């Protein structure tokens, strides 16, 4: 529910958000805002796919999600290579449609394997409270980290040529260190949450 609310707010206020977080031209804001809705809904589809993937993994069906992802990736790659000139809008639409097809097929397979979903959030349940106490700081920390990366890129875009590359490399090094430290902690904490 909260993810859908954030998605809706992001789609509705995408132009002001892009203007606020990018020091770029009006043309950039126009193109990015047109693509942002597709990208955000694509991320929602990807999140929904992870639910059905987890269910299929619990049913010992490990190959179905991988084969579907491979088909989607190969289809997109083939279309990109065969198309004479593919605009960024056409590429975004192609990716969105392929993600949608993957989701539909994967959910059909999952439903045939017994998948059923009934939302049930017990806010006063001690396990739910404990899960949120562990999960929310993790989400907050990840959000702050992404915000610092975006701020670095925004600042570097106003500093001149080559600075985005320098910050990108430093972000990659920082991300590598973050992955080594936080990744190991997450490997321990996430199974406990689940």
């Amino acid at each position: 529910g909260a993810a859908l609310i954030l998605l809706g707010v992001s789609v509705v206020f995408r132009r002001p958000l892009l203007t606020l977080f990018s020091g770029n031209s009006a043309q950039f804001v126009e193109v990015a805002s047109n693509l942002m809705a597709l990208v955000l809904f694509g991320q929602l589809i990807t999140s929904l796919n992870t639910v059905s993937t987890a269910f299929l993994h619990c049913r010992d069906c490990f190959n179905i999600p991988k084969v579907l992802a491979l088909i989607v990736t190969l289809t997109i790659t083939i279309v990109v290579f065969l198309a004479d000139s593919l605009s960024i809008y056409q590429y975004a639409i192609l990716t969105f449609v392929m993600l949608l097809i993957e989701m539909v097929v994967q959910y059909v397979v999952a439903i045939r394997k017994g998948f059923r979903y009934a939302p049930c959030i017990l806010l006063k349940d001690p396990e739910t409270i404990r899960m949120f106490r562990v999960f929310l700081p993790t989400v907050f920390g990840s959000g702050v980290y992404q915000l610092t990366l975006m701020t670095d890129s925004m600042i570097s875009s106003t500093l001149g040529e080559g600075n985005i590359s320098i910050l990108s490399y430093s972000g990659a090094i920082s991300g590598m260190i973050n992955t080594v430290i936080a990744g190991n902690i997450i490997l321990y904490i996430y199974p406990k949450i689940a």
Side-chain angles (χ1 to χ4, degrees):
L4 290 175
I5 291 169
L6 283 173
L7 175 74
V9 168
S10 298
V11 169
V12 170
F13 296 108
R14 64 185 185 268
R15 285 183 195 274
L17 286 171
L18 285 167
T19 304
L20 176 67
F21 290 116
S22 72
N24 292 313
S25 67
Q27 181 184 6
F28 170 81
V29 171
E30 181 68 27
V31 171
S33 67
N34 289 337
L35 293 173
M36 192 171 171
L38 269 178
V39 171
L40 287 171
F41 283 111
Q43 288 299 316
L44 176 65
I45 289 172
T46 302
S47 298
L48 293 173
N49 274 346
T50 58
V51 172
S52 60
T53 298
F55 173 80
L56 289 170
H57 286 179
C58 290
R59 298 289 180 165
D60 293 328
C61 299
F62 296 99
N63 292 332
I64 293 170
K66 289 181 174 80
V67 169
L68 286 172
L70 177 66
I71 291 170
V72 165
T73 304
L74 283 176
T75 304
I76 292 171
T77 305
I78 289 168
V79 170
V80 167
F81 279 119
L82 292 179
D84 289 334
S85 61
L86 201 63
S87 74
I88 193 163
Y89 295 112
Q90 292 169 327
Y91 179 74
I93 291 168
L94 172 68
T95 304
F96 178 78
V97 168
M98 293 309 299
L99 284 172
L100 193 60
I101 291 170
E102 178 186 10
M103 183 188 76
V104 169
V105 172
Q106 194 162 303
Y107 269 89
V108 166
V109 171
I111 288 169
R112 287 187 179 166
K113 298 278 183 187
F115 177 76
R116 299 292 179 266
Y117 177 73
C120 177
I121 299 174
L122 304 172
L123 295 176
K124 295 187 180 190
D125 181 43
E127 284 297 315
T128 303
I129 293 168
R130 200 173 97 198
M131 180 185 69
F132 277 114
R133 282 188 184 147
V134 172
F135 184 67
L136 288 177
T138 306
V139 170
F140 180 73
S142 176
V144 168
Y145 177 69
Q146 292 298 321
L147 188 61
T148 59
L149 290 178
M150 190 171 58
T151 304
D152 288 346
S153 296
M154 187 175 77
I155 291 169
S156 68
S157 68
T158 62
L159 295 178
E161 210 169 298
N163 289 319
I164 291 179
S165 297
I166 293 168
L167 279 174
S168 175
Y169 293 135
S170 66
I173 292 169
S174 173
M176 185 172 54
I177 293 168
N178 191 17
T179 301
V180 167
I181 295 169
N184 289 319
I185 293 170
I186 288 170
L187 283 174
Y188 175 75
I189 290 176
Y190 278 168
K192 294 256 185 209
I193 293 172

